[in-house]
Amino acid sequence: MAKTAQPVSASQWFLGALSLPRKWRVGPGPIIAAIVLTVIVLSAIFAPYYVPFDPMHMESTKRLQPPGGEYILGTDPFGRDMFSRVVTGGRISLLIGIGAAVISVFFGLLIGLVAGFFRMADAIIMRIMDSLMSIPAILLAIALVSLSGASVGSVIIAITIPEIPRVVRLVRSVVLSAREEPYVEAATALGSSMPKILTKHLMPNTMAPLIVQGTYICASAILIEAILSFLGAGVSTETPTWGNIMAEGRDYFQINPGLIFWPGLMLSLCILSINLIGDTARDLLDPRLKKREA
Amino acid sequence: MLGYIIRRILAVIPVMLIVAIFVFLMLRLSPGDPAAILAGDSATAAQIEKIRTELGLNDPLHIQFITWMGQLLQGDLGTSLISKTGVVDMIANRINPTINLALMTIIISVLLAVPMGVAAAWRHRTWVDYLVMSFSVLGFSIPVFVIGYIFMAIFALGLGWFPVQGYRAPTEDFFGFLLRAILPSLTLATIYVALIARMTRASMLEVLGEDYIRTARAKGVKENSVLFRHALRNAAVPIMTIIGIGFALLIGGVVVTESVFNIPGIGRLTVDAILARDYPVIQAIILLTAGIYVLINLLIDLSYTLLDPRIRY
Amino acid sequence: MKFKSRNFEGAETVLDIKDLSVNLPNQETVAPILDRISLNIRAGETACLVGESGSGKSVTSLAVMGLLPKGALEVTGGKITLEDRELLGLSHNELRHMRARRMAMIFQEPMTALNPVMRVGDQIDEVLQIHADMSASERKARVLDIMEQVHLPDVKRIYGSYPHQLSGGQRQRIMIAMALVLQPKLLIADEPTTALDVTTQAQILRLIAELQEKQGTAVLFITHDMGVVSEIADTVHVMKEGQIVEQAPVEKLLREPREDYTQKLLKAVPSLIPRKVRPPKSDDQVLQVQGMKKIYGGGGIFVKKEGTLAAQDVSFSIARGRTLGIVGESGSGKSTVARCVMRLIDPTEGEVRVDGNEIARLSRRQLRPYRRFIQIVFQDPFRSLNPRWKVGESLIEGPLNYGISRAEAMKQAGDLMELVGLPRDVLDRYPHQFSGGQRQRIAIARAVAMKPDVLVADEAVSALDVSIQAQVLDLLGDIQDKLGVAILFITHDLRVAAQICDDIVVMQNGLIVEYNSASEVLANPQHEYTRALTEAAPGREWDFANFCELKKTA
């Protein structure tokens, strides 16, 4: 273990701060995933500047056109350009993914820290979380959306609520095991106050697992958005999302499989990239994490 | 032992109570007037007021809850707003296809996923491992209905091996049931296999690093015996846990798969209820699935004591 | 002291290792893990492989068994011959058939080396199922027989027990039964008693010797403990950094060690002779514990549950500048006492006075002003510093809590680094850049930064190699001389206690059984348990540091 002294560089500070293994070894998979994801994100952000057609414009004479020619990916049952719709649809899908990840990590961290640190609150919080987890996420989201109306905001909230218990459990378990570490006990002996121990010693331990969990939530939120749309409980069809493009193409699937295939492909590639990056981050950040997830 | 079982069963009560409160509040506290939501868009003020009195919505919240819980405990889940029939009957009519589909999916998943996970852990960092892990990431990344349509396009429309859609009860025509249930089951199984294989691999990797595995090898135990007799049983608890937790995922998948393959089960009932905003039905389905989830996880918890003698009550 | 001095000329060679090299795969440039080591063991002989952690002892044993972790380590040269068969180059299956029949192995951690979900009887039976052609009833009889031979009580009941239902010593007996049921020619024992208490260790060593005599087994015994070596070895092989630096019969090695490294190892073995009596410098009792009791668990909302009694009637006191040792085996309650004194856990009953202030009943908030006076150093150097913080940050954490300015605290931290023998610039580095011994110095500095009156050292040197252990003990002594701090030293190791303690408390099952000056406790133990402890200490008649018999004083 004895390491010869090296000057501390910024990268080493970063690795130390996340307690990463000193060796970064990344295979080609995650790098390709990162490139694919970057392309998808950029193409979605800049979609309005380069799409050939207004994704909302219906051309009743050009319904269900096959791919090729004027329409790269053909047109949908209302005569709208599929290519324009698919790249534009990524904007809302990604927004929902990132929104759900950020919100659920934020609230999950807050509640999880409280549960991990205060015994009294723990029992009550965990019962509520158990109850929330016992309702299948998709059903819960469906019910919430159908009650509150199908806006982007309500879809994000509906996806976030079932994810929060998972984050809470993760944060709580990290806090509970970190509390047992001798360095935390030493801090108590050194007279550090509870809030200081919580923020300076315990919270940093949750950062690496939360980054990983956040990527998974982002991926699963995009997926759930698609399923909600598919079931008719998603964002209204006036704003294209990958999910509702596929939902609208459902009935014409046998005529033109591309109606589901292209948005499905974009969606799957996007989620695949996020998941691969998440897996890589997890392997690098903390091999013990495998035990805690699920 | 008996004391432990009773305590575990008692612990279910607060969880289900909170679910019930949640389901109750969901409708009452949602933005907008529940009576107006229930009455639908074209209702007149008088109609809404009538529903309001019928449902006791003018009573204070806690009285409403007590009435509602009282009915619930008597097995009365209310009446559908659309078909005006009892929700319990509606669910009873639709539950069989869903149970059959779910059972078949679980069997297929466990039979596929556990050997895959074991193989991946055993051949850690080889092509076997990478193949299993790639499949698993893929399974998590493709929406279940897209998988359904892909299977349908290839095996039903393309190769013509299976009927495109539909359902047949196994009691009438078992072969017909199998023929129609295989594609939906495989569709549903994809994500479940991904989940279980992943957990099996992680759990096995951990166990294979344990000292007693080295002991087993040191006494000359055959490799497959090391894997299945020594390692898998020690790795079983997290695998069982994920099977239980994954059940929630399965329910979500059922809803989608049934509408892709046009199977008249609970999933379709759910979708119809959502589209029609038939709230009593949605409430009942949420309560039912949460109840089944809690029950399954309770059984799995109790099974730990059989799997691992160290777990005591 | 009587050493083993049998003559093995003419005895058949059981294991012959020639020029064995082990390396990381594809890394020829790195120093090899094992560098051309050679040794041989004859029937009935016990060869001890000694060395500090990382010297390659365990790798040697795993290489013989063919159990090197795949892909992580590989044999790059040499020969391993067992009786007349060359082991390297055997197929996986051939090697598997050799295990348990020709060669067997027992491991360090009896807690984890047995399969937790299989009955122990079945685990022994499995060996017979694989390697012997016997009926079920024959196998059962044989298993019960070997269980008798390892002196397990009530073998029929234990046959059906799971490992977690047995004590550490019993589990190690099961391991031995499993290893020897087929009477292999070679037994490899990798630190088999390190995780056990001294009294259990003595029993297990006796058992191995007994079965070895009965079966004529050759034993390769791996240990870091020179006391154990002196008791059991015929021949000793000293390893350092992947090489065998010295091989000799045990008496020769202990009397006339040739190599510097061997001498250094022997000199670092703490002596059982208590330190010279120091007259107390002051009467000022800085830590007084009176009638302390701790019950874990208990309570319960509906049913009153019985808690576990961890400590009871514990009373002692330490004067400024003195060292009190609490010695006991695992489960004796010694660590519970340390944690109660620190108020990391709350004592159920009794008083704790630090500088005369009663702290046992104070609330967390009321306690904070008094925390400064009593500090602790933990056992595990790898977990006692926050891995995300620079060493400097860890060192000033305490002083900042007590209103010292950052600049001032940093300056003091630098001084402290010099006090514990590290350069000032370590303040800018992270804990992972240091060895275990260095980290323990940092942890000591962190505690001392608070200028405490009492320093609690909870097994603070137990995780360290002997040579590092000696240095850290010296450091604690130095600090005490300079700062006059009182030390409460918790340890399971009588030798270590003898080196540093003025007074010793011996604990057993949560009770103090003896409390006296160190010289009295060690030379003239009153309680039966203390006598058992001293008698079980391996090599207690030998003065390792001076290469001769221990001269009895008094």
Side-chain angles (χ1 to χ4, degrees):
Chain A
M1 284 315 284
K3 294 231 168 69
T4 43
Q6 299 142 357
V8 179
S9 65
S11 73
Q12 208 157 27
W13 173 85
F14 182 73
L15 296 177
L18 291 171
S19 67
L20 279 171
R22 294 321 114 175
K23 268 191 221 154
W24 277 91
R25 231 190 270 144
V26 176
I31 292 174
I32 296 171
I35 295 171
V36 169
L37 187 63
T38 314
V39 170
I40 291 175
V41 169
L42 291 179
S43 73
I45 292 176
F46 295 106
Y49 303 104
Y50 68 84
V51 291
F53 293 92
D54 176 359
M56 305 318 302
H57 179 69
M58 301 187 193
E59 196 73 59
S60 53
T61 55
K62 298 271 177 66
R63 295 167 56 184
L64 291 168
Q65 294 283 310
E70 194 185 0
Y71 300 103
I72 308 171
L73 301 178
T75 58
D76 75 355
F78 301 95
R80 295 173 292 199
D81 177 43
M82 273 300 280
F83 175 76
S84 305
R85 284 183 72 71
V86 168
V87 288
T88 311
R91 293 166 71 89
I92 302 297
S93 292
L94 286 167
L95 176 70
I96 288 172
I98 293 164
V102 170
I103 298 173
S104 52
V105 164
F106 177 77
F107 283 101
L109 174 64
L110 225 60
I111 302 171
L113 285 178
V114 172
F117 211 74
F118 301 103
R119 239 153 231 268
M120 293 301 281
D122 185 40
I124 300 166
I125 290 176
M126 290 323 284
R127 282 299 81 67
I128 295 175
M129 294 302 140
D130 283 349
S131 309
L132 272 181
M133 279 183 79
S134 70
I135 305 174
I138 289 176
L139 282 188
L140 186 52
I142 290 173
L144 291 171
V145 173
S146 61
L147 280 170
S148 56
S151 66
V152 173
S154 67
V155 168
I156 292 181
I157 292 168
I159 293 173
T160 303
I161 287 176
E163 291 291 350
I164 288 177
R166 282 165 248 274
V167 183
V168 170
R169 283 174 79 137
L170 176 74
V171 172
R172 174 177 175 271
S173 78
V174 173
V175 170
L176 284 182
S177 63
R179 277 180 75 167
E180 303 291 313
E181 289 292 318
Y183 67 81
V184 176
E185 295 199 316
T188 312
L190 292 169
S192 294
S193 62
M194 291 259 247
K196 187 172 173 186
I197 290 176
L198 198 63
T199 51
K200 293 278 176 65
H201 286 288
L202 297 178
M203 223 165 83
N205 280 299
T206 64
M207 286 306 142
L210 279 182
I211 291 171
V212 175
Q213 191 70 13
T215 62
Y216 290 147
I217 292 174
C218 180
S220 110
I222 295 174
L223 206 62
I224 292 177
E225 185 278 322
I227 290 173
L228 288 181
S229 292
F230 182 80
L231 295 175
V235 178
S236 87
T237 51
E238 276 146 36
T239 6
T241 70
W242 286 329
N244 64 28
I245 298 172
M246 286 189 276
E248 286 182 334
R250 234 179 115 176
D251 296 334
Y252 304 89
F253 168 68
Q254 300 196 18
I255 303 168
N256 180 6
L259 295 177
I260 288 188
F261 180 76
W262 292 113
L265 180 72
M266 284 294 275
L267 173 89
S268 303
L269 273 180
C270 178
I271 297 174
L272 189 63
S273 309
I274 298 174
N275 277 336
L276 271 176
I277 292 169
D279 279 359
T280 313
R282 182 185 62 174
D283 291 348
L284 289 173
L285 290 173
D286 183 4
R288 281 166 304 165
L289 216 68
K290 282 170 194 136
K291 266 202 291 190
R292 291 192 212 116
E293 65 138 341
Chain B
M1 178 77 194
L2 194 69
Y4 173 74
I5 294 175
I6 292 170
R7 248 181 301 136
R8 281 311 320 263
I9 292 172
L10 290 180
V12 165
I13 294 172
V15 172
M16 283 314 293
L17 189 68
I18 296 172
V19 172
I21 294 174
F22 192 80
V23 166
F24 172 78
L25 289 181
M26 214 159 51
L27 186 56
R28 318 287 144 150
L29 296 187
S30 63
D33 182 356
I37 298 174
L38 293 180
D41 296 337
S42 56
T44 64
Q47 281 171 313
I48 293 176
E49 189 49 41
K50 186 164 162 276
I51 292 177
R52 192 173 266 291
T53 1
E54 264 176 29
L55 294 179
L57 288 175
N58 293 326
D59 297 335
L61 207 58
H62 64 276
I63 302 284
Q64 290 182 41
F65 179 69
I66 290 167
T67 325
W68 184 75
M69 269 309 281
Q71 289 169 345
L72 197 66
L73 290 175
Q74 289 163 28
D76 178 6
L77 291 170
T79 314
S80 160
L81 299 177
I82 312 298
S83 67
K84 307 290 178 204
T85 47
V87 173
V88 175
D89 292 335
M90 288 174 76
I91 290 177
N93 285 334
R94 295 292 198 90
I95 202 149
N96 275 333
T98 304
I99 290 178
N100 292 334
L101 186 62
L103 278 180
M104 199 156 145
T105 304
I106 290 175
I107 294 168
I108 292 178
S109 305
V110 173
L111 287 182
L112 281 176
V114 171
M116 275 168 66
V118 170
W122 184 47
R123 288 282 171 247
H124 186 41
R125 292 175 204 278
T126 66
W127 65 270
V128 181
D129 188 15
Y130 295 132
L131 193 73
V132 170
M133 286 310 280
S134 309
F135 172 83
S136 153
V137 182
L138 218 59
F140 279 121
S141 304
I142 308 177
V144 59
F145 58 88
V146 173
I147 295 171
Y149 281 121
I150 292 173
F151 282 170
M152 200 193 274
I154 298 173
F155 298 107
L157 297 172
L159 298 168
W161 291 354
F162 304 103
V164 178
Q165 288 180 325
Y167 176 79
R168 194 69 52 86
T171 42
E172 297 166 20
D173 172 8
F174 189 71
F175 186 68
F177 161 74
L178 276 186
L179 213 55
R180 283 166 183 78
I182 282 178
L183 285 186
S185 301
L186 283 179
T187 305
L188 259 178
T190 315
I191 189 164
Y192 215 36
V193 168
L195 189 72
I196 300 171
R198 207 178 161 89
M199 183 50 87
T200 307
R201 172 181 176 272
S203 182
M204 282 293 284
L205 275 181
E206 196 165 318
V207 168
L208 286 175
E210 295 283 348
D211 288 352
Y212 52 81
I213 296 300
R214 190 178 55 183
T215 305
R217 293 204 169 114
K219 61 187 188 184
V221 176
K222 285 198 191 98
E223 200 59 21
N224 61 12
S225 194
V226 169
L227 288 178
F228 289 96
R229 190 175 148 118
H230 286 270
L232 188 56
R233 222 184 124 192
N234 278 289
V237 167
I239 301 174
M240 293 292 286
T241 310
I242 203 74
I243 291 176
I245 292 174
F247 182 77
L249 214 60
L250 188 68
I251 298 278
V254 163
V255 175
V256 179
T257 311
E258 286 188 355
S259 43
V260 170
F261 288 95
N262 207 6
I263 294 169
I266 298 286
R268 278 275 305 289
L269 183 65
T270 315
V271 176
D272 295 344
I274 297 162
L275 295 177
R277 317 228 146 187
D278 196 348
Y279 292 102
V281 178
I282 300 180
Q283 281 186 335
I285 290 173
I286 290 182
L287 278 173
L288 176 78
T289 50
I292 295 176
Y293 176 90
V294 168
L295 190 72
I296 286 181
N297 282 286
L298 173 69
L299 291 176
I300 286 179
D301 262 17
L302 293 177
S303 78
Y304 293 162
T305 55
L306 299 176
L307 286 168
D308 190 338
R310 281 168 301 180
I311 297 173
R312 282 284 162 244
Y313 340 105
Chain C
M1 170 156 190
K2 250 187 82 188
F3 294 104
K4 282 162 107 182
S5 57
R6 277 177 299 161
N7 190 349
F8 287 97
E9 256 166 59
E12 61 165 321
T13 297
V14 174
L15 178 71
D16 190 19
I17 301 178
K18 277 235 158 39
D19 294 330
L20 178 69
S21 294
V22 169
N23 216 330
L24 303 166
N26 317 321
Q27 304 212 350
E28 281 78 24
T29 49
V30 185
I33 306 296
L34 287 188
D35 188 7
R36 281 168 291 134
I37 67 158
S38 300
L39 66 90
N40 72 74
I41 311 173
R42 292 149 292 189
E45 181 181 358
T46 301
C48 277
L49 206 51
V50 293
E52 297 192 290
S53 50
S55 59
K57 307 178 302 256
S58 292
V59 173
T60 309
S61 67
L62 293 175
V64 173
M65 292 296 289
L67 290 173
L68 287 177
K70 247 184 276 170
L73 289 173
E74 60 187 21
V75 175
T76 48
K79 276 185 175 169
I80 303 173
T81 317
L82 181 65
E83 293 182 284
D84 43 11
R85 292 194 74 172
E86 171 56 38
L87 296 184
L88 297 175
L90 284 188
S91 77
H92 184 80
N93 223 20
E94 286 167 324
L95 201 55
R96 189 170 67 71
H97 282 293
M98 303 281 282
R99 296 189 194 134
R101 279 174 52 220
R102 304 287 202 85
M103 55 183 181
M105 184 161 178
I106 52 181
F107 299 97
Q108 174 172 1
E109 284 289 340
M111 298 302 171
T112 56
L114 289 167
N115 188 334
V117 304
M118 267 171 94
R119 293 172 200 281
V120 293
D122 294 338
Q123 296 191 46
I124 304 176
D125 184 63
E126 195 182 19
V127 177
L128 299 176
Q129 278 184 37
I130 301 165
H131 299 289
D133 187 18
M134 294 164 87
S135 73
S137 59
E138 282 170 342
R139 290 201 314 263
K140 173 109 189 208
R142 180 77 166 272
V143 172
L144 291 175
D145 175 53
I146 189 83
M147 286 171 75
E148 295 269 9
Q149 286 189 46
V150 296
H151 307 301
L152 281 164
D154 196 0
V155 289
K156 290 227 167 76
R157 180 181 60 79
I158 290 191
Y159 186 100
S161 302
Y162 289 99
H164 70 274
Q165 296 164 325
L166 305 180
S167 70
Q170 287 175 325
R171 291 186 220 190
Q172 202 58 298
R173 283 172 198 273
I174 295 286
M175 281 298 292
I176 293 169
M178 204 153 77
L180 295 182
V181 66
L182 287 172
Q183 311 204 339
K185 290 285 189 247
L186 172 69
L187 174 68
I188 301 177
D190 187 357
E191 304 256 11
T193 57
T194 306
L196 303 174
D197 288 326
V198 268
T199 47
T200 320
Q201 161 167 294
Q203 294 164 8
I204 294 291
L205 292 178
R206 231 176 292 138
L207 174 67
I208 293 175
E210 178 192 327
L211 291 171
Q212 176 182 28
E213 185 143 336
K214 214 191 270 181
Q215 302 190 354
T217 325
V219 176
L220 176 61
F221 197 103
I222 292 163
T223 181
H224 66 280
D225 186 337
M226 281 296 177
V228 171
V229 170
S230 73
E231 299 267 340
I232 64 159
D234 292 300
T235 330
V236 186
H237 307 264
V238 182
M239 283 196 83
K240 182 197 177 193
E241 291 164 9
Q243 293 178 322
I244 292 185
V245 293
E246 184 163 1
Q247 303 180 299
V250 58
E251 184 158 4
K252 184 156 186 294
L253 188 106
L254 294 179
R255 279 191 196 282
E256 303 152 20
R258 204 182 60 230
E259 293 293 319
D260 288 348
Y261 181 72
T262 315
Q263 292 180 8
K264 192 184 127 211
L265 268 187
L266 289 171
K267 284 190 174 141
V269 177
S271 152
L272 267 171
I273 314 169
R275 71 182 300 165
K276 285 214 178 69
V277 176
R278 299 190 291 183
K281 284 185 188 146
S282 95
D283 270 346
D284 184 10
Q285 300 293 319
V286 286
L287 176 67
Q288 291 162 288
V289 174
Q290 191 63 48
M292 192 166 69
K293 178 178 183 180
K294 174 68 189 175
I295 299 176
Y296 285 111
I301 303 169
F302 300 113
V303 197
K304 190 107 182 117
K305 278 184 233 152
E306 194 107 337
T308 321
L309 182 65
Q312 196 175 14
D313 278 339
V314 175
S315 305
F316 56 82
S317 65
I318 316 178
R320 194 173 291 283
R322 302 281 284 180
T323 302
L324 174 79
I326 300 184
V327 178
E329 298 187 306
S330 54
S332 62
K334 56 188 190 304
S335 282
T336 300
V337 171
R339 297 167 64 79
C340 282
V341 166
M342 288 302 301
R343 280 294 307 274
L344 292 172
I345 51 177
D346 300 329
T348 314
E349 274 174 27
E351 291 175 14
V352 178
R353 289 179 183 278
V354 176
D355 286 331
N357 302 304
E358 158 64 37
I359 62 161
R361 295 277 154 263
L362 297 183
S363 73
R364 302 265 138 181
R365 189 177 295 274
Q366 291 170 321
L367 192 61
R368 280 182 62 198
Y370 300 102
R371 290 269 191 210
R372 196 171 80 66
F373 300 111
I374 180 162
Q375 289 297 312
I376 187 164
V377 178
F378 293 101
Q379 172 171 8
D380 187 345
F382 294 94
R383 291 167 58 200
S384 57
L385 295 168
N386 189 334
R388 290 180 178 78
W389 286 15
K390 285 181 187 171
V391 168
E393 291 297 320
S394 286
L395 276 169
I396 63 170
E397 180 178 8
L400 289 187
N401 289 334
Y402 291 92
I404 291 172
S405 76
R406 212 184 149 78
E408 176 63 21
M410 267 303 179
K411 195 177 141 291
Q412 287 176 5
D415 297 343
L416 281 168
M417 284 296 100
E418 277 169 13
L419 178 72
V420 299
L422 292 169
R424 270 175 182 264
D425 66 356
V426 304
L427 294 178
D428 274 334
R429 299 202 205 130
Y430 287 95
H432 70 86
Q433 293 171 292
F434 298 95
S435 67
Q438 290 170 323
R439 289 187 209 199
Q440 211 61 325
R441 286 170 188 270
I442 295 168
I444 292 171
R446 178 179 60 186
V448 170
M450 303 292 282
K451 305 194 175 67
D453 292 312
V454 183
L455 181 61
V456 178
D458 187 359
E459 298 275 13
V461 298
S462 303
L464 307 173
D465 280 326
V466 273
S467 55
I468 312 290
Q469 197 172 53
Q471 294 166 10
V472 173
L473 286 176
D474 284 347
L475 173 64
L476 283 173
D478 272 3
I479 285 176
Q480 188 167 53
D481 288 344
K482 284 185 192 146
L483 309 177
V485 65
I487 298 179
L488 178 62
F489 194 88
I490 317 285
T491 183
H492 68 281
D493 189 337
L494 272 178
R495 289 178 178 278
V496 171
Q499 290 308 295
I500 188 166
C501 299
D502 298 299
D503 301 292
I504 290 180
V505 164
V506 180
M507 285 190 75
Q508 183 192 20
N509 300 333
L511 291 170
I512 292 181
V513 296
E514 191 153 352
Y515 176 18
N516 212 330
S517 70
S519 51
E520 277 298 303
V521 170
L522 287 161
N524 191 14
Q526 294 303 305
H527 193 272
E528 180 188 356
Y529 177 71
T530 317
R531 272 200 296 278
L533 269 186
T534 38
E535 274 162 29
R540 66 182 195 287
E541 289 153 23
W542 191 256
D543 186 350
F544 292 90
N546 296 310
F547 319 135
C548 63
E549 275 86 359
L550 198 59
K551 287 168 200 78
K552 287 265 177 197
T553 45

